[in-house]
Amino acid sequence: GKLYYNKIEYTFNNNNAQLWTSDGTTDGTFLIKKINPINTSSPSEFTIYKGMLFFSADNGTNGRELWITDGTTNGTKLFKDFYYSKSSNPSGLTVYKDKLYFATTDSLNGRELWRSDGTIEGTLMIKDININGNSSPQEFKEFKGKLYFSAQDESNGREIWVTDGTASGTKMIKNIHATENSNPYGFTEYLDKLYFYAIDDINGFELWSTDGTTDGTQLLKEINSNNELNYYPCELKVAAGKLFFYGLNTESGLEPWVTDGTEEGTHLLKNIAPGS
């Protein structure tokens, strides 16, 4: 029933970006806690879990770590310091199967996939995906009872992964780009499939879909045959029973496209600015 946010306040007190709250009234809008007494704490990644608000912040001593608040000053505290003397930078906080999932960095395993049940003892790494480095999980999206994300292991580059919350159930779905990163992102559910952008061995960034299986992870349609075009697609949106997105080719340039989930039903919506 309240709004939590960070706010930069340029005053004599120099609170900088700290944790604030508001109930929608002037009197109910106030600083909860000055987490970093000297500099900005820049709280972010706000996620409600088990009646508490989890977030990332930097208190100036522990680095950027995982914090928790019940909305009071005394109830705002460091939850866990994953990387002593450095920032663990927790990100991607996502509630799945009554657990809190996120990416964070420690000194032993690098940046990997973690989960928490809201207790220190119940906060653990699920799997060391990249034994020799950082897997850096991101783009978390629940789909068909599992959690999908992008990650990089030691041999396949950044690809599409899935987890059921267990180490054995955490695996790569498909190596879309055999020699480099496919960089999947923008996961959006539509008509019982998960759509996303990715690069394969032949095509630049194009629209892909998956039903959760290797064989069912496929390129929807090659829209841009000229991979030298500077194109970084974004904005997948479901509306009116269709999936809308940005598309780019040499004929029309960057314009709005639409799909019904089939190659035949994927087409330019309108060439708003004619020409390339």
Side-chain angles (χ1 to χ4, degrees):
K2 291 187 178 180
L3 175 68
Y4 293 88
Y5 60 101
N6 74 65
K7 171 179 176 287
I8 298 177
E9 184 181 46
Y10 296 99
T11 67
F12 181 76
N13 293 328
N14 192 28
N15 286 324
N16 294 318
Q18 303 291 350
L19 182 65
W20 285 67
T21 184
S22 177
D23 62 4
T25 68
T26 301
D27 292 339
T29 301
F30 56 87
L31 174 71
I32 295 178
K33 186 172 185 175
K34 195 171 183 181
I35 294 174
N36 190 327
I38 299 175
N39 209 334
T40 177
S41 65
S42 297
S44 61
E45 300 285 337
F46 300 119
T47 304
I48 295 175
Y49 175 61
K50 290 190 173 180
M52 301 288 282
L53 186 72
F54 286 78
F55 62 98
S56 165
D58 185 348
N59 64 2
T61 302
N62 302 91
R64 179 162 291 278
E65 298 293 342
L66 189 60
W67 282 66
I68 189 172
T69 184
D70 60 2
T72 67
T73 301
N74 292 335
T76 302
K77 54 189 177 180
L78 176 67
F79 178 73
K80 184 176 175 67
D81 189 348
F82 293 91
Y83 201 161
Y84 297 110
S85 77
K86 294 185 179 181
S87 295
S88 70
N89 293 314
S91 65
L93 276 63
T94 304
V95 179
Y96 163 68
K97 282 190 175 180
D98 200 35
K99 297 287 194 303
L100 185 65
Y101 288 74
F102 54 95
T104 197
T105 308
D106 66 12
S107 59
L108 181 62
N109 302 290
R111 191 163 189 79
E112 296 295 340
L113 180 64
W114 285 67
R115 78 176 187 196
S116 176
D117 64 1
T119 67
I120 302 299
E121 300 77 17
T123 301
L124 48 90
M125 184 180 70
I126 297 175
K127 185 174 184 175
D128 191 356
I129 294 173
N130 192 332
I131 303 297
N132 300 315
N134 303 312
S135 70
S136 300
Q138 58 191 40
E139 295 284 329
F140 296 108
K141 177 68 175 180
E142 185 175 355
F143 173 64
K144 288 187 175 180
K146 294 184 178 181
L147 191 64
Y148 289 73
F149 59 98
S150 163
Q152 180 172 343
D153 66 13
E154 61 273 14
S155 57
N156 297 292
R158 180 163 292 279
E159 300 293 341
I160 180 172
W161 282 68
V162 66
T163 185
D164 61 2
T166 67
S168 60
T170 302
K171 54 188 178 181
M172 183 177 68
I173 295 178
K174 185 172 185 173
N175 189 357
I176 294 174
H177 200 320
T179 58
E180 296 182 18
N181 301 320
S182 74
N183 290 323
Y185 77 100
F187 297 127
T188 302
E189 184 176 355
Y190 171 65
L191 291 183
D192 206 34
K193 287 187 178 181
L194 199 62
Y195 288 78
F196 59 97
Y197 291 109
I199 303 172
D200 66 10
D201 301 55
I202 301 173
N203 305 285
F205 270 115
E206 298 287 355
L207 189 57
W208 285 66
S209 69
T210 184
D211 61 4
T213 67
T214 302
D215 292 340
T217 303
Q218 301 174 339
L219 172 70
L220 178 63
K221 183 174 184 175
E222 184 187 15
I223 294 173
N224 177 22
S225 58
N226 183 0
N227 295 332
E228 294 182 0
L229 289 175
N230 185 16
Y231 177 42
Y232 200 68
C234 58
E235 298 297 337
L236 290 167
K237 298 292 182 183
V238 178
K242 300 286 180 68
L243 180 63
F244 295 82
F245 60 99
Y246 293 162
L248 175 74
N249 59 29
T250 55
E251 292 77 29
S252 59
L254 184 63
E255 297 290 348
W257 282 64
V258 64
T259 184
D260 61 3
T262 67
E263 183 177 0
E264 303 77 29
T266 303
H267 58 85
L268 176 70
L269 181 64
K270 183 174 182 176
N271 194 350
I272 296 174
S276 59

